[in-house]
Amino acid sequence: MQFIVLHLAIGFVIYLFRFFGLMYFLGSIVFFTLWIFQSGNKQNQALYAAAYTAAGEVFFRMTGGSLIPWEAGKYSVICFILLGLFFSGTSRKSAPYWLYLLLLIPGVIYAAETLNFDTNVRKAVIFNLSGPFCLGIAALYCFDRRITRQQLHNIVWCLLMPVIAMGVYLFFFTPDTRDVLNGTQSNFALSGGYGPNQVATALGIGMFALVIQIFVNGKNKLIFFINIGLLMFLTYRGIVTFSRGGIFTAGLITIAFIVMYFQGVSSRKRNSISFYMVILGSAIAITWLITSVRTMGLIDLRYANKDAAGRIKEDLSTGRQELITSELTFFVNNPIMGIGVGKTKEYREEKLDILAASHNEISRLLSEHGVFGLIALLILFCTPLFYRIGNRRNYLFYSFFGFWFLTINHSSMRVAAPAFLYALALLNIVDEKKDTLPRKQISQ
């Protein structure tokens, strides 16, 4: 409870004193770094640090100003995980992800030859590969790593905290909903002046984490209703961004969690779970009704794929289908080496006179890496699914894996969250009494 109050206060203080956003980011980095060193990562503190930073990355960018590098969130997650690898090593089973990281190299080398002369090669490569690299490093750490169910819940708690702070900041910072609505498109003003897609994605993580708290910590009625209230609050803030991708993703992975959780409990406990589901469904319905009234019905049109005049939009993907198709065409025309890392936007402008990004990581990997990207994608899809056959104790597996897949299809890997949550699907959940056992370090 005290952590919730703390982060409610953090969000409000940053609203009052914007410079505190930078202090919040730097303070978080220092705190977690010292914690990992002091503990020797004996309880997987690196995962807590990475979870907090991954979920808070959008908020850090939003409030830290130009003093925080754009990729600072991903760099921080990578550094925390590297510290974890230094102290705790990696599993001998993680070879597929070493291969995955090696497969990213040819596209980088080829990019040095294909990118335009006036393009900053270093920035182009880092921008496009920081996400995939973050995923590879996180997967090396998480693959078959034994953690307890309580530690998994702690990780989810770390995902939630910075999102609560962001929600409070948005509540005070954004103008009145009715004053800034002029259509059904994604709304920057209601997203704190930041990218609605990324803000909705971060808020979706918080929504998902709160649902887990509602089911797992539902015995305490006070905490239960506090979590319900926070869920309604974050859901409202997410919906009014008018960005659908993050909200749909949150809904789908939440359903995956409920299904898996329901199957894993006794028949007696299912009765209480059914009660939680009724309360949860009612809370979401009330939130939607409030949002509909506050947006004068425009949110209903948005999710019905209609414009403000009620006309159905022809393209549900808001133009992304054409961009994805073009990238797949680039792959077909350049199947071996692709067109090089960071070249997609330039190449599309040269060939089609369209300067835009598809925000689809699958088509981007194929177009820029060629057959190496195809093999990398096969590793990313097949390795977790095969691992799942012999290890079914992670009841959040499909939620984590689904978040990665759904997010990279509408928001690429512009933030660290899909990379990190993908890695969490690879964890080996053990009984509390067995606890986590030290593993032999094979990579430091």
Side-chain angles (χ1 to χ4, degrees):
M1 184 64 184
Q2 60 268 33
F3 288 109
I4 293 177
V5 174
L6 173 63
H7 285 82
L8 290 173
I10 288 174
F12 182 63
V13 170
I14 293 177
Y15 161 72
L16 294 177
F17 309 101
R18 185 66 176 265
F19 71 89
F20 191 73
L22 176 62
M23 303 292 292
Y24 174 45
F25 170 71
L26 296 177
S28 300
I29 299 301
V30 171
F31 170 79
F32 283 116
T33 301
L34 292 176
W35 191 29
I36 293 172
F37 272 102
Q38 291 175 354
S39 64
N41 197 47
K42 293 180 180 178
Q43 296 297 321
N44 292 299
Q45 282 81 359
L47 283 181
Y48 300 159
Y52 192 92
T53 307
E57 180 181 10
V58 175
F59 188 40
F60 296 147
R61 287 181 182 176
M62 183 189 302
T63 60
S66 59
L67 294 177
I68 296 182
W70 182 259
E71 300 295 318
K74 294 177 188 173
Y75 297 155
S76 301
V77 172
I78 291 171
C79 289
F80 287 141
I81 295 299
L82 286 175
L83 282 177
L85 287 170
F86 173 78
F87 284 109
S88 307
T90 185
S91 169
R92 296 181 183 276
K93 301 177 182 179
S94 62
Y97 293 102
W98 288 110
L99 175 59
Y100 161 79
L101 289 170
L102 290 174
L103 290 168
L104 300 177
I105 297 176
V108 176
I109 298 174
Y110 193 53
E113 300 293 330
T114 61
L115 286 170
N116 293 343
F117 180 75
D118 57 346
T119 299
N120 188 318
V121 177
R122 182 183 64 84
K123 288 185 177 180
V125 169
I126 289 177
F127 180 80
N128 286 280
L129 278 192
S130 56
F133 182 74
C134 180
L135 184 152
I137 296 298
L140 287 177
Y141 181 87
C142 290
F143 195 77
D144 199 36
R145 182 169 296 275
R146 290 173 290 187
I147 70 169
T148 65
R149 179 168 292 199
Q150 182 57 52
Q151 288 176 319
L152 179 62
H153 295 164
N154 292 342
I155 292 170
V156 173
W157 192 251
C158 289
L159 289 172
L160 171 61
M161 290 299 103
V163 182
I164 289 177
M166 183 173 73
V168 173
Y169 173 83
L170 290 173
F171 175 79
F172 289 103
F173 182 82
T174 55
D176 185 86
T177 305
R178 301 182 183 186
D179 292 341
V180 293
L181 283 179
N182 54 12
T184 60
Q185 67 275 12
S186 296
N187 195 298
F188 280 79
L190 294 174
S191 304
Y194 199 73
N197 196 321
Q198 296 176 46
V199 172
T201 297
L203 289 169
I205 293 174
M207 293 159 57
F208 166 66
L210 275 168
V211 172
I212 295 175
Q213 297 301 322
I214 288 169
F215 280 84
V216 172
N217 298 320
K219 292 182 179 180
N220 187 313
K221 299 306 178 185
L222 175 62
I223 298 298
F224 175 80
F225 284 106
I226 289 176
N227 286 333
I228 287 290
L230 287 172
L231 175 63
M232 295 175 69
F233 172 63
L234 292 185
T235 301
Y236 172 78
R237 295 304 334 168
I239 293 174
V240 296
T241 64
F242 277 73
S243 182
R244 296 168 294 187
I247 306 305
F248 278 135
T249 297
L252 290 172
I253 66 174
T254 296
I255 292 172
F257 155 70
I258 293 174
V259 170
M260 296 302 297
Y261 190 75
F262 192 83
Q263 292 179 349
V265 299
S266 63
S267 56
R268 185 179 63 178
K269 194 172 182 180
R270 288 180 182 178
N271 293 328
S272 61
I273 291 178
S274 300
F275 171 74
Y276 296 159
M277 292 174 63
V278 171
I279 298 296
L280 179 63
S282 301
I284 297 300
I286 293 172
T287 304
W288 183 271
L289 179 61
I290 294 172
T291 309
S292 180
V293 172
R294 293 290 300 165
T295 61
M296 300 165 291
L298 288 176
I299 195 66
D300 303 282
L301 296 175
R302 172 63 169 171
Y303 278 78
N305 196 41
K306 297 179 180 180
D307 61 19
R311 296 169 297 200
I312 296 178
K313 298 179 182 179
E314 295 183 3
D315 187 5
L316 180 63
S317 67
T318 60
R320 290 175 181 163
Q321 182 177 349
E322 181 182 1
L323 301 176
I324 294 171
T325 300
S326 67
E327 291 178 357
L328 295 177
T329 301
F330 301 159
F331 167 66
V332 172
N333 295 336
N334 304 270
I336 306 301
M337 294 298 296
I339 58 178
V341 175
K343 180 67 177 178
T344 302
K345 289 181 68 174
E346 292 181 356
Y347 201 74
R348 186 183 289 113
E349 185 178 21
E350 294 170 5
K351 299 295 183 180
L352 304 176
D353 197 27
I354 299 175
L355 183 60
S358 68
H359 300 153
N360 186 290
E361 192 67 19
I362 294 176
S363 59
R364 190 196 67 79
L365 272 174
L366 291 173
S367 64
E368 294 186 356
H369 294 264
V371 68
F372 299 100
L374 176 61
I375 298 172
L377 283 173
L378 289 174
I379 290 174
L380 294 182
F381 276 102
C382 296
T383 304
L385 295 175
F386 280 117
Y387 179 69
R388 177 68 180 176
I389 294 175
N391 187 332
R392 297 180 175 274
R393 290 187 291 272
N394 188 348
Y395 64 90
L396 295 179
F397 171 86
Y398 290 108
S399 296
F400 290 144
F401 188 74
F403 179 86
W404 166 76
F405 176 73
L406 293 170
T407 302
I408 66 171
N409 274 282
H410 73 81
S411 188
S412 192
M413 295 184 75
R414 291 182 290 173
V415 294
F420 179 70
L421 265 68
Y422 171 94
L424 295 181
L426 305 171
L427 292 171
N428 182 359
I429 310 303
V430 299
D431 295 333
E432 303 289 337
K433 59 183 180 181
K434 294 180 180 179
D435 207 345
T436 49
L437 300 175
R439 63 177 61 199
K440 180 184 289 186
Q441 295 185 10
I442 66 169
S443 176
Q444 290 191 10

